Amino acid sequence: MKIKKILEIKNVGVFSNFSWSPTCQEFKKYNFFYGWNYSGKTTLSGLFKSLENKKIHSDFPELKFKLRTDKRGLTEKDISRDFNIRVFNEEFVSENFR
């Protein structure tokens, strides 16, 4: 299953009420996020880390989201499903490298 786009993110960080712009491209097989401080990179990695860990990230207890995949739509209610996703962020580095 491939995540194609984030339809909505609510109740977290700069994404208190985010909707995907029709002019924004869909995700590719590998995606790299960069941007200014406080632009939402950590929040996005937390959302994807939630999918990897099969539970909502502890920093985002009120997170609501809707994703579109190549097969179906997903929300926070689907969090316990198996997703073939890996997140390599600062949290990953601090947990795995000393």
Side-chain angles (χ1 to χ4, degrees):
M1 175 171 46
K2 177 184 171 190
I3 297 172
K4 296 180 88 169
K5 59 174 77 174
I6 301 168
L7 298 174
E8 293 180 358
I9 305 175
K10 295 185 181 208
N11 304 330
V12 62
V14 299
F15 299 108
S16 61
N17 194 21
F18 170 81
S19 294
W20 191 278
S21 168
T23 61
C24 192
Q25 293 183 10
E26 293 181 346
F27 289 126
K28 306 297 182 199
K29 182 175 181 177
Y30 299 103
N31 298 277
F32 181 82
F33 296 92
Y34 65 95
W36 295 104
N37 291 339
Y38 303 101
S39 63
K41 302 177 302 294
T42 301
T43 302
L44 286 177
S45 71
L47 184 153
F48 293 121
K49 193 75 170 169
S50 294
L51 296 173
E52 179 181 359
N53 293 336
K54 299 182 183 114
K55 63 180 181 177
I56 297 293
H57 194 284
S58 61
D59 288 347
F60 313 130
E62 301 298 318
L63 174 64
K64 303 284 184 208
F65 63 86
K66 291 180 183 177
L67 306 177
R68 178 170 295 145
T69 74
D70 56 350
K71 299 184 187 230
R72 64 186 292 259
L74 299 173
T75 72
E76 68 282 349
K77 295 173 185 161
D78 300 303
I79 203 76
S80 62
R81 298 184 56 159
D82 282 325
F83 299 101
N84 186 17
I85 186 170
R86 298 295 174 262
V87 176
F88 302 101
N89 59 8
E90 187 175 348
E91 184 177 320
F92 173 85
V93 171
S94 66
E95 290 173 355
N96 294 283
F97 297 97
R98 300 192 201 299

